[in-house]
Amino acid sequence: MKLTKIASALALSAAVSTILFAADTVKIGVQAPITGQYANEGQSIENFVRLIADEKNAEGGLLGKQIEVITCDDEAKAQKAAVCAKKLTNAGVIAVIGSYTSGATEAAQTTYYRKKVLQTSDGTSDSLIAKKYWTFFRNSFPNSAQSDFTADYMVKIKKYKKIVVLSDYSSYSEGLGDATEASIKALGGNVIYRGKIKSGTQNFSAILTKIKEMKPDVIYYSGYYTDGGLLRAQQKQLQIDADFVGGDSNDNPDFYKLAGKAAAGTILINFPTPEILPYPEAKKYLAAYKARFKMDPPSIWPVTNADGFRAIIEGVEKTKSFDTKKIAEYIRSMKDFPGITGPFNIREDGERVGAKFVVYKMNNDGTKQVVPE
Amino acid sequence: MDTLLQQLINGLTVGSLYALVALGYTMVYGVMKLINFAHGDLVAFSAYVGLTLFTQFYGSNALTLVNIIIVFTLTAIIVAFVGVLLERLAYRPLRTAPRLSAVVSALGASLVIQNGIMLIWGPNMEIFPANVFPSTSWNFGGVIISFTQLVILALSAVLMVALYLFINKTKMGTAIRATAIDQDAAKLMGINVNRVIMTIFIIGSMLGAIGGLFIGMYYRGLTFDMGWLYGLNAFIAAIIGGIGSIPGAMLGGLLLGLFNALISGYISTEWAETFTFILLIIILIVKPTGLFGENTAEKV
């Protein structure tokens, strides 16, 4: 009796889902931190996806189907990310753009893999491609590429003798911190202290006072701008006479606001920021973004996610199918797909290859300039 | 040596902030035997109110001492009003209900305020203006004290002394102490318990408001859920000092700040929070009433 009820319920739900799939839309998920610490990054990812989806829909959609964007807010938290993965796969998306942080991306990875849903993220932690899921590909460049570049800059160009490496506990930041420490040591550099801070605790004076005693030449921080800006401000307040080098996630207008006058002289290592991207696609999409949302994207990350989405669209159109396996294979075989953030090439394990980095120095007035090497 | 002194200064500054917030917890608990979990969120709310007021004043002219005083006063009044409202809506109807109901109500109020902040000011990090106080700092042989730190230390001390005098020397203070010992007996002696409770909510919220403004000025980055961080630490400080005891909250706050700074500085930053909880557990085992538990008759 019970079994027949369950069976009929299953049959009914199967029927309903067939009807849903038969509808004239193709669903694309956005999993991003819409609220919380990194909300402005997450919101911008959603904005970009909607911008591109609407553009495609105006042209008649994807293989004749309108694109429907479904957003799930993961608040950059692993638990919420796992919930989002369930929610989005249940909604029947074929691909998910995001998330912003590596931790939230990683927590959702297995669910998407099991449900054969494509996932593309700007998470840079090396652990993201360790599982070699065919469903996953990265739209930004890995920590290891950045750490080599950073170590080279600090050891060979600036010739720092005493280097402090700080990170927070997120998988991205810890991964980048560890990778940078390893790259510095590989070049024969001297890491005198490797510390971790807890993101969001605001008060870093204790660890900075401890660092002051070591008289470092440079403090390298591999975490996010929300803590990096405060670290820099408190470093200056404690009159610690050391350079401050920040990893890519410090590159956000809020870093200046948090650090105030202390921001001057800060060195950031990042991909070229949106406004100096030399590619024609960059000019087109960034202008469209600005026209629609009345502001620039806060960083390069939403832009790389836009490229991830564009790669999926290209995959669908070229393979003329919504079969995610075929699309994934196509994306991995693309040669120099013209991305907004430069030529887009994906390796077999899902890694984006061909990284380019720049060194910026912050000025007094909240602007920054590229430091020539 | 100067590193140790620097850590002590850092610890005392954070400790004063914890103490200011802890006073709100301890007073409400002392009188109502209720843990006001929404207090931390009121602190966050005050930081946001202060931010809005400061940016309003920044719009037209440079910030003067008068403006700063106006902002502090206005913020304290607004937050006190919300504190009283909180008591009216979330706690008064439950005053005779089982204690668990009040705790649940407090947690609910905390969520309401937190989400209220998110709806009003948005989910993104808001940043407090940098130059409310001059960015001067003094270097005493390697030990650095900033102007903001000095103001925090001095004003916190003044406020705490004032509160101590208020509780011990005024008629209202006596009424508060009497209500803390026995509400029913206090009522029989003609004390207006509702007014006493309103007064402690006003004072607690105002101290929390000053704490919130200081947090904004000192740390600058505001997130809608930041109240949890300060609320939890202040709550621990209140327990260390002996919840319900006013000098206990002050001492507990300062001790917690110092403890945190020294652990971070000399043992490990990564473990500072863990050690805080170990300290809390030790105190709860060895002296469950906290440091000032015995001296006060109104302890549970």
Side-chain angles (χ1 to χ4, degrees):
Chain A
M1 180 62 188
K2 238 181 186 174
L3 268 178
T4 45
K5 259 189 184 168
I6 293 171
S8 58
L10 279 178
L12 185 69
S13 69
V16 170
S17 57
T18 348
I19 295 165
L20 283 178
F21 279 119
D24 253 5
T25 61
V26 52
K27 290 174 180 144
I28 298 288
V30 172
Q31 181 204 324
I34 305 298
T35 61
Q37 259 186 309
Y38 312 118
N40 67 354
E41 301 277 2
Q43 288 165 2
S44 182
I45 294 175
E46 188 191 359
N47 287 347
F48 246 124
V49 170
R50 289 199 185 273
L51 178 79
I52 291 166
D54 289 351
E55 180 198 64
K56 211 72 226 161
N57 286 341
E59 289 170 9
L62 209 48
L63 305 185
K65 290 186 180 196
Q66 291 286 299
I67 301 171
E68 184 187 340
V69 177
I70 302 172
T71 305
C72 184
D73 177 11
D74 65 20
E75 297 174 31
K77 288 176 185 147
Q79 306 93 306
K80 302 263 170 151
V83 176
C84 275
K86 291 256 154 47
K87 193 183 140 191
L88 290 173
T89 48
N90 287 343
V93 299
I94 62 154
V96 172
I97 319 297
S99 175
Y100 168 66
T101 58
S102 297
T105 306
E106 207 169 348
Q109 254 184 338
T110 309
T111 307
Y112 295 135
Y113 170 69
R114 289 208 185 111
K115 302 278 183 179
K116 300 186 172 61
V117 168
L118 293 175
Q119 181 191 16
T120 176
S121 163
D122 60 51
T124 58
S125 165
D126 288 326
S127 61
L128 281 178
I129 52 152
K131 293 176 203 140
K132 297 197 167 49
Y133 289 151
W134 63 264
T135 46
F136 181 83
F137 70 93
R138 206 199 295 272
N139 52 47
S140 66
F141 299 103
N143 281 343
S144 50
Q146 187 181 168
S147 66
D148 288 344
F149 181 90
T150 308
D152 192 72
Y153 175 77
M154 293 206 291
V155 178
K156 286 192 182 155
I157 297 171
K158 298 293 277 190
K159 300 198 166 39
Y160 294 129
K161 294 279 178 285
K162 291 157 125 188
I163 301 170
V164 166
V165 176
L166 291 179
S167 71
D168 67 27
Y169 286 92
S170 65
S171 46
Y172 151 74
S173 172
E174 200 172 337
L176 180 57
D178 289 346
T180 306
E181 187 188 11
S183 303
I184 293 168
K185 284 181 174 160
L187 288 178
N190 179 21
V191 177
I192 53 167
Y193 180 67
R194 165 79 173 94
K196 286 174 197 167
I197 58 156
K198 198 157 170 276
S199 178
T201 43
Q202 298 196 325
N203 177 20
F204 305 121
S205 53
I207 193 168
L208 285 169
T209 304
K210 183 171 164 176
I211 289 169
K212 185 179 184 182
E213 213 176 24
M214 305 170 189
K215 301 196 169 32
D217 297 324
V218 62
I219 297 170
Y220 172 74
Y221 179 61
S222 68
Y224 297 92
Y225 59 95
T226 45
D227 302 300
L230 290 173
L231 264 175
R232 174 65 173 176
Q234 290 172 27
Q235 179 211 338
K236 282 277 160 183
Q237 195 262 315
L238 286 166
Q239 301 178 2
I240 300 172
D241 189 24
D243 284 352
F244 189 98
V245 176
D248 56 80
S249 293
N250 286 289
D251 192 359
N252 186 295
D254 278 357
F255 187 100
Y256 296 94
K257 290 195 209 154
L258 280 169
K261 279 183 193 151
T266 305
I267 296 159
L268 293 181
I269 287 166
N270 198 1
F271 311 104
T273 45
E275 69 273 13
I276 64 164
L277 290 170
Y279 315 102
E281 289 78 13
K283 295 205 167 44
K284 177 188 158 198
Y285 281 101
L286 292 167
Y289 187 96
K290 184 150 193 172
R292 176 155 162 193
F293 302 106
K294 311 284 178 262
M295 59 176 168
D296 293 316
S299 73
I300 190 82
W301 307 112
V303 192
T304 63
N305 279 294
D307 269 346
F309 185 31
R310 290 176 65 244
I312 290 168
I313 291 176
E314 175 85 1
V316 171
E317 285 178 337
K318 284 285 153 62
T319 60
K320 295 201 170 26
S321 103
F322 291 116
D323 181 345
T324 48
K325 188 93 198 178
K326 281 185 193 160
I327 303 168
E329 272 164 19
Y330 178 81
I331 289 171
R332 279 164 172 72
S333 72
M334 287 192 308
K335 277 269 166 296
D336 289 343
F337 171 66
I340 309 172
T341 55
F344 204 86
N345 294 294
I346 299 292
R347 212 163 61 188
E348 193 45 49
D349 57 3
E351 191 71 275
R352 183 168 175 189
V353 286
K356 284 188 179 66
F357 289 94
V358 232
V359 178
Y360 295 104
K361 194 165 196 164
M362 292 191 175
N363 300 324
N364 280 320
D365 53 355
T367 59
K368 57 182 188 257
Q369 70 203 45
V370 179
V371 177
E373 279 173 56
Chain B
M1 187 61 199
D2 50 343
T3 308
L4 175 66
L5 280 175
Q6 186 70 58
Q7 295 289 19
L8 292 180
I9 299 277
N10 300 340
L12 278 179
T13 315
V14 190
S16 314
L17 297 175
Y18 290 160
L20 282 177
V21 182
L23 284 167
Y25 278 101
T26 223
M27 282 197 296
V28 170
Y29 185 84
V31 172
M32 299 177 71
K33 304 288 174 281
L34 160 80
I35 293 168
N36 178 10
F37 281 111
H39 189 58
D41 298 292
L42 269 189
V43 171
F45 174 71
S46 68
Y48 274 92
V49 171
L51 168 81
T52 306
L53 292 174
F54 273 123
T55 34
Q56 289 304 314
F57 279 104
Y58 259 89
S60 49
N61 48 336
L63 215 62
T64 61
L65 185 64
V66 181
N67 283 348
I68 292 177
I69 292 172
I70 294 174
V71 169
F72 268 75
T73 320
L74 271 179
T75 309
I77 291 171
I78 293 171
V79 176
F81 178 74
V82 176
V84 171
L85 206 66
L86 178 73
E87 194 267 327
R88 275 286 163 89
L89 298 177
Y91 303 140
R92 191 174 290 185
L94 293 170
R95 214 179 278 167
T96 51
R99 210 175 287 176
L100 187 63
S101 316
V103 169
V104 173
S105 183
L107 288 170
S110 158
L111 284 176
V112 168
I113 298 177
Q114 199 178 100
N115 286 289
I117 294 174
M118 194 184 87
L119 289 173
I120 299 172
W121 283 280
N124 295 344
M125 183 182 244
E126 290 289 322
I127 292 158
F128 220 81
N131 310 319
V132 175
F133 291 137
S135 56
T136 344
S137 54
W138 295 277
N139 190 338
F140 300 104
V143 183
I144 291 131
I145 301 184
S146 71
F147 189 85
T148 314
Q149 273 178 317
L150 207 65
V151 173
I152 291 175
L153 287 169
L155 201 54
S156 307
V158 168
L159 285 171
M160 286 186 231
V161 171
L163 178 69
Y164 191 77
L165 292 176
F166 174 76
I167 295 288
N168 287 298
K169 305 280 178 205
T170 63
K171 211 170 152 190
M172 187 43 125
T174 315
I176 290 174
R177 278 181 296 144
T179 315
I181 296 170
D182 191 330
Q183 259 191 44
D184 294 325
K187 246 183 233 164
L188 291 174
M189 300 312 289
I191 291 172
N192 185 343
V193 171
N194 279 341
R195 253 185 74 194
V196 166
I197 289 174
M198 210 170 104
T199 311
I200 56 160
F201 266 92
I202 290 174
I203 297 175
S205 306
M206 280 184 159
L207 290 172
I210 307 284
L213 285 170
F214 283 155
I215 289 166
M217 277 170 213
Y218 193 47
Y219 296 123
R220 317 264 324 285
L222 309 183
T223 49
F224 69 92
D225 54 0
M226 67 188 266
W228 173 245
L229 177 74
Y230 291 95
L232 184 68
N233 276 302
F235 178 54
I236 293 172
I239 289 181
I240 290 174
I243 192 153
S245 153
I246 287 171
M250 296 175 190
L251 192 74
L254 292 177
L255 279 181
L256 185 65
L258 284 175
F259 181 78
N260 243 322
L262 293 180
I263 294 284
S264 309
Y266 290 98
I267 298 181
S268 151
T269 318
E270 290 90 351
W271 287 84
E273 216 162 273
T274 314
F275 275 92
T276 305
F277 281 101
I278 292 174
L279 174 76
L280 180 67
I281 290 166
I282 291 174
I283 287 197
L284 286 176
I285 292 171
V286 177
K287 206 168 181 308
T289 51
L291 297 177
F292 277 69
E294 266 173 10
N295 303 345
T296 39
E298 59 261 34
K299 278 311 305 159
V300 212

